[in-house]
Structures are given as structure tokens and as C-alpha cells.
């Protein structure tokens, strides 16, 4: 049996619908050997209902640590999904540096003051090509920041199906080179299937670019409810195999190891 992980789970410590404990049985049933929680942490913003409060962090870390000790049929890791804000690298580093984590996932949800994934209004009347360029620039900057082990949903800007007119290959190529240069993993995020785009992130037609540039990968569900843990993973691993991948990244205490699949 292949060792599969799912490092991108949200419990009710951020915007998931259930307690962390509720993810264990579905994860085991999905054939996963290892899972990790990655609650939203959005520094520099006030009272967001989808992100943890700073005061929740220590209880969250303690809770997952206890859970991992009490569960024997699956390995449970502790992570965070942290929003990247250009210009705030040092403050973000100072904050994350002292936390006892297995990995940190970096995300771009914000372009400017607004998030790209909360509604299609964000896109209306805007130059879509320019939005894609800006989004990819920010993801590359996140990769280069040294703050993150994994980059989440690297083309989330596709979420509502607005399509750029220009060739996107150069954007993906540049991003893949940046990820590789800074030793950052990208995720094949299966949750896009449940969103308006109804497909994984990144766009499967560009997966070969990540492979050609030797960017390490892991597969994540970004589940916000237990039933979506490990969802669509057979298809995801098939896609990766077809793109030429044969190993995936696992993490422990912010060290990366590669395992065959
Ligand atoms: Zn996210
Ligand atoms: Zn997430």
C-alpha cells in the first residue's frame, strides 16, 4: 500500500466544520497513513471569521499534539495555512519562527485588500490577464520568501472560471522555476473540484511544467469537512504519475523527505 498523506485539513479551529478528531476515521478509511491540520492564520487582518485568532494558536497546537499522541492507526501532523502579504515577510517570520510545526503552507488569498476566492464580483470589470499575472507574481514572491514549505492552490485565481486570453505557459514556467529555486513544494489540491472551477489546482494541462522543472509535490484535499479527507486522491496520483512523478514530499518538524508512490 502506497504511503499517502493529506496535509491540508481545516477543522473548526479555523473554518472547517468539525473537530480534528472527526477527521481520523475518514482519513483511515481513505487509506491515508498520515494527515496534518493546516488551520488558516491570516496575520495583519482583524477578526476574519475564516481564520484563527492569535489567541487560538497555542490551544490549537496543544490540541493537535495531544490528538497525535492518542491516535495509533494514523500519523497526525501539525501545520498552518498562512496568508502571504508582500512586505510583511520579516514580521511573518518572527511570528512563525517560534511555533512548533511540522510544515507551513503559504497561500495567496488576497490581491490587494480583497480575496480572490470569496465571490466572482472580484473579477468583474477587471483585466483578467493582468489579474493572473499579479496572482502568479505574488505566489512566486511567497515561494521566494523562505517562509513556507508548501505553496497552496498555486492558481486559485482560476476559481471562478475567468479565463485569460494570453498563453499561460510562461506564467506556470516562471512559477515552477521559482518554486524549485527556493526548494518549495507545490500541492495538487483536489478541493478545486468542489469549487466553481470544478477542477484541481493547478490546472492539469500545466502539470508537466512542474515535473520538467523538478518541483517537489504533495497531494492535499483542503478538506473543510471530514467526508472530503483524501477526496479524489486516486485520480490525483494518477495525474501525477502520468506527468512523470514517482515521489512525493512528506514533512516532519519542517524537514522534508521524499517518498515513492
Ligand atoms: Zn487556501
Ligand atoms: Zn485551505
Amino acid at each position: 500500500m502506497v504511503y499517502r498523506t493529506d496535509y491540508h485539513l481545516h477543522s473548526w479551529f479555523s473554518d472547517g466544520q468539525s473537530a480534528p478528531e472527526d477527521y481520523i476515521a475518514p482519513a483511515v478509511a481513505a487509506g491515508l497513513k498520515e494527515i496534518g491540520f493546516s488551520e488558516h492564520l491570516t496575520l495583519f487582518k482583524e477578526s476574519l471569521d475564516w481564520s484563527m485568532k492569535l489567541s487560538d494558536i497555542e490551544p490549537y497546537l496543544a490540541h493537535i499534539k495531544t490528538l497525535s499522541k492518542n491516535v495509533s492507526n494514523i500519523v497526525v501532523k501539525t501545520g498552518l495555512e498562512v496568508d502571504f502579504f508582500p512586505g510583511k515577510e520579516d514580521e511573518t517570520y518572527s511570528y512563525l519562527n517560534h511555533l512548533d510545526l511540522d510544515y507551513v503552507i503559504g497561500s495567496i488569498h488576497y490581491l490587494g485588500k480583497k480575496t480572490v476566492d470569496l465571490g466572482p464580483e472580484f473579477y468583474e470589470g477587471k483585466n483578467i490577464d493582468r489579474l493572473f499575472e499579479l496572482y502568479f507574481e505574488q505566489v512566486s514572491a511567497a515561494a521566494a520568501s523562505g517562509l513556507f514549505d508548501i505553496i497552496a492552490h498555486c492558481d486559485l485565481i482560476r476559481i471562478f472560471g475567468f479565463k485569460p486570453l494570453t498563453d499561460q505557459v510562461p506564467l506556470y514556467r516562471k512559477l515552477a522555476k521559482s518554486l524549485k529555486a527556493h526548494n518549495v513544494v507545490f500541492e495538487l489540491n483536489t478541493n478545486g473540484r468542489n469549487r466553481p472551477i470544478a477542477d484541481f489546482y493547478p490546472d492539469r494541462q500545466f502539470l508537466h511544467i512542474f515535473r520538467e522543472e523538478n518541483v517537489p509535490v504533495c497531494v492535499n484535499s483542503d478538506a473543510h469537512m471530514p467526508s472530503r479527507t483524501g477526496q479524489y486522491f486516486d485520480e490525483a496520483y494518477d495525474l501525477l504519475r502520468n506527468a512523470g512523478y514517482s515521489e512525493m514530499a512528506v514533512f516532519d518538524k519542517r524537514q522534508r523527505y521524499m517518498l515513492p508512490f
Side-chain angles (χ1 to χ4, degrees):
M1 187 68 187
V2 178
Y3 195 95
R4 285 183 180 178
T5 62
D6 187 350
Y7 287 141
H8 194 152
L9 303 177
H10 296 277
S11 77
W12 59 28
F13 275 97
S14 61
D15 60 345
Q17 296 181 7
S18 295
E21 289 69 19
D22 299 338
Y23 288 76
I24 303 298
V28 171
L32 303 178
K33 303 293 184 212
E34 187 168 321
I35 58 169
F37 292 89
S38 58
E39 307 296 352
H40 288 287
L41 177 64
T42 310
L43 299 166
F44 321 114
K45 301 274 176 193
E46 299 287 316
S47 60
L48 297 165
D49 53 7
W50 48 274
S51 179
M52 276 198 294
K53 292 198 261 324
L54 288 183
S55 57
D56 293 337
I57 293 186
E58 290 303 334
Y60 160 64
L61 299 180
H63 189 102
I64 304 302
K65 189 166 271 182
T66 305
L67 175 63
S68 73
K69 285 192 182 128
N70 291 339
V71 167
S72 57
N73 50 352
I74 191 164
V75 177
V76 179
K77 296 272 167 83
T78 313
L80 285 173
E81 179 179 6
V82 179
D83 280 88
F84 174 72
F85 294 103
K88 299 282 194 185
E89 290 86 348
D90 290 350
E91 286 155 275
T92 307
Y93 177 81
S94 320
Y95 191 79
L96 295 175
N97 188 31
H98 69 277
L99 300 178
D100 185 11
L101 298 165
D102 290 304
Y103 56 87
V104 179
I105 302 180
S107 281
I108 307 296
H109 299 109
Y110 285 87
L111 273 188
K113 288 194 163 60
K114 299 242 168 83
T115 54
V116 302
D117 58 337
L118 288 188
E121 321 71 73
F122 175 82
Y123 298 81
E124 280 154 15
K126 293 204 173 88
N127 180 326
I128 301 303
D129 285 278
R130 187 64 195 130
L131 282 186
F132 272 63
E133 279 171 30
L134 285 171
Y135 191 83
F136 276 73
E137 272 169 28
Q138 257 190 63
V139 179
S140 285
S145 71
L147 293 168
F148 308 119
D149 305 298
I150 303 170
I151 287 290
H153 42 60
C154 69
D155 56 1
L156 180 66
I157 193 78
R158 290 165 54 240
I159 185 168
F160 291 106
F162 290 86
K163 292 212 185 329
L165 301 172
T166 53
D167 178 17
Q168 297 297 290
V169 167
L171 287 188
Y172 283 88
R173 181 72 66 184
K174 204 169 157 196
L175 172 60
K177 285 184 187 292
S178 175
L179 288 161
K180 178 64 184 174
H182 298 99
N183 200 23
V184 179
V185 172
F186 79 106
E187 63 171 14
L188 184 55
N189 179 312
T190 61
N191 190 40
R193 183 65 66 79
N194 303 309
R195 308 304 304 277
I197 187 71
D199 197 6
F200 300 160
Y201 311 106
D203 190 331
R204 61 186 68 205
Q205 65 174 313
F206 301 117
L207 264 185
H208 66 98
I209 295 175
F210 294 85
R211 181 68 202 102
E212 286 159 12
E213 300 297 338
N214 279 316
V215 188
V217 69
C218 64
V219 179
N220 287 332
S221 72
D222 203 352
H224 288 67
M225 60 185 82
S227 61
R228 291 183 176 171
T229 310
Q231 193 182 29
Y232 308 126
F233 273 26
D234 287 342
E235 181 182 343
Y237 279 97
D238 282 348
L239 267 179
L240 287 178
R241 255 182 234 107
N242 289 337
Y245 274 100
S246 58
E247 53 178 25
M248 49 167 247
V250 295
F251 288 91
D252 188 61
K253 306 230 172 290
R254 303 207 65 184
Q255 289 292 312
R256 191 182 85 212
Y257 306 87
M258 300 305 291
L259 286 182
F261 65 78

